[in-house]
Amino acid sequence: MATLTATSRLKPVDKGGGVLKYQLPFVLKKFVIEWVRDLSIDDRAAFRFMCRYDVPESRLSENIERDGNIFKLVEFLIQDGRLSVKDVSYLKRFLPTIGREDWLQRLEKVELRMFIGNIVEDYVKLKAFARQDGGASDAACCCDIVVALLVETKTRNKCLIEEILGHLSAVDGADDGIDSDIVDGVFLRICNKIMSSHRSWFGLVACLVIIVGLYGSYSRYLGTPVDVALDGYYVCAFSGTKTSQLLAEWILENGGRETFQKFVRLQRRELDSGSDISEVLSEMRRILQNCVAI
């Protein structure tokens, strides 16, 4: 079977005909591997102590000088639900205790990439649920404030967003289907330009609403019911992109996740919210129109 990349449009099925099961994003796996290999013997002893009463005693008695035994501790934490795609607080609590602020900063970037990936997944599944529920209101189905804002933004700017998605399809050749990048082609350059020029949360929301639209189109191309896909599929797909790295770094540099969520709550309370986002979307359209013309 062809190898799937994070942004591949190949249909994600295994040999048994089912949906491929993505448990952890590559960005988190990569972080864990590099972090474990960088641990000193004292750091390893501290981590073993941290895991006491959270991990079976038999695993704590193994030789901590071996990377494999540290990986086993991490693996158990994952299996036990103490470390997951939505919660890396266990490691975030540990890293400052050994003075590894450098690794904490790297983990925060990984966490943000997965956070955005979860937004993508929640949005795509929400749209699928609404379609299957006979046209139920997206807003009524939504409990995440960021996803709710994206739904509202899509509703207010439906024609504009559909036009942008159409231009992206024309520029990136998305209609070809096979092995076309979803967000790391022309859109990555546009996203970089938007975030550099606007440097505002409005620009971020505008980028996100296009991203979820792209992945929504991707899910329809697959012909696979999104609700039966194992949790984490879209998180894995998006968090491995360069676009996710760009947006995560921007969020971190501008106040972090909590600041973004405060902005979202404020926007949802404002009666005239969305006008600034519409302006950014209009700029995206102008940039794309120039690309198509070329």
Side-chain angles (χ1 to χ4, degrees):
M1 188 180 80
T3 301
L4 288 174
T5 61
T7 54
S8 173
R9 283 181 175 269
L10 291 174
K11 191 171 183 179
V13 293
D14 60 19
K15 293 180 180 179
V19 178
L20 279 176
K21 297 183 178 180
Y22 293 83
Q23 296 180 354
L24 284 180
F26 175 74
V27 289
L28 181 56
K29 291 179 179 179
K30 181 174 183 289
F31 170 86
V32 170
I33 291 171
E34 293 176 348
W35 166 66
V36 168
R37 289 177 173 172
D38 190 53
L39 288 173
S40 68
I41 188 63
D42 289 339
D43 293 341
R44 292 162 184 258
F47 185 62
R48 178 173 61 184
F49 181 75
M50 177 82 171
C51 292
R52 191 166 297 279
Y53 305 118
D54 296 331
V55 173
E57 190 67 29
S58 59
R59 300 203 179 194
L60 296 174
S61 62
E62 295 184 1
N63 182 6
I64 58 174
E65 292 185 14
R66 296 178 59 87
D67 289 349
N69 292 332
I70 302 298
F71 287 130
K72 288 180 182 179
L73 297 181
V74 175
E75 187 176 7
F76 183 86
L77 293 174
I78 293 170
Q79 293 173 346
D80 199 45
R82 296 178 184 273
L83 181 63
S84 71
V85 68
K86 292 188 176 183
D87 185 7
V88 294
S89 58
Y90 197 94
L91 292 182
K92 288 180 72 175
R93 290 195 303 271
F94 170 70
L95 291 171
T97 66
I98 58 172
R100 297 307 303 265
E101 298 295 333
D102 54 338
W103 280 105
L104 179 60
Q105 290 177 3
R106 291 179 63 174
L107 179 59
E108 287 174 343
K109 289 181 182 179
V110 170
E111 182 183 32
L112 280 171
R113 293 176 75 170
M114 295 189 298
F115 165 67
I116 304 171
N118 275 300
I119 292 172
V120 173
E121 178 153 314
D122 290 346
Y123 181 95
V124 174
K125 289 189 175 183
L126 171 68
K127 300 297 287 186
F129 173 79
R131 286 195 298 270
Q132 293 171 9
D133 201 38
S137 168
D138 290 341
C141 303
C142 185
C143 59
D144 182 271
I145 59 170
V146 179
V147 175
L149 178 61
L150 295 180
V151 169
E152 293 164 4
T153 301
K154 174 70 181 296
T155 301
R156 292 193 187 99
N157 303 276
K158 183 177 180 180
C159 293
L160 178 55
I161 290 171
E162 289 179 351
E163 187 176 350
I164 291 172
L165 293 174
H167 284 315
L168 282 169
S169 176
V171 172
D172 267 342
D175 290 336
D176 295 339
I178 304 300
D179 282 336
S180 296
D181 283 348
I182 300 175
V183 295
D184 277 355
V186 170
F187 181 72
L188 173 60
R189 298 197 296 273
I190 293 172
C191 194
N192 193 9
K193 192 170 186 178
I194 291 294
M195 298 311 297
S196 298
S197 60
H198 284 268
R199 299 199 63 79
S200 72
W201 296 109
F202 296 109
L204 176 64
V205 173
C207 290
L208 287 177
V209 79
I210 298 302
I211 289 168
V212 296
L214 287 168
Y215 277 93
S217 300
Y218 175 47
S219 68
R220 288 193 294 274
Y221 168 81
L222 294 176
T224 303
V226 180
D227 62 320
V228 302
L230 190 72
D231 287 346
Y233 172 75
Y234 289 100
V235 183
C236 290
F238 180 70
S239 65
T241 66
K242 294 177 182 177
T243 300
S244 76
Q245 181 178 354
L246 169 70
L247 297 183
E249 289 176 353
W250 191 93
I251 293 173
L252 200 58
E253 291 170 1
N254 289 273
R257 176 173 171 174
E258 290 185 3
T259 302
F260 174 48
Q261 290 176 320
K262 286 179 182 177
F263 166 81
V264 170
R265 284 192 290 270
L266 178 62
Q267 286 302 298
R268 295 204 66 211
R269 287 198 299 267
E270 294 289 340
L271 294 177
D272 61 344
S273 64
S275 59
D276 292 296
I277 298 173
S278 298
E279 291 177 8
V280 180
L281 289 169
S282 295
E283 183 175 343
M284 277 190 187
R285 178 177 59 185
R286 287 193 295 272
I287 296 172
L288 275 165
Q289 285 173 337
N290 291 334
C291 291
V292 172
I294 294 172

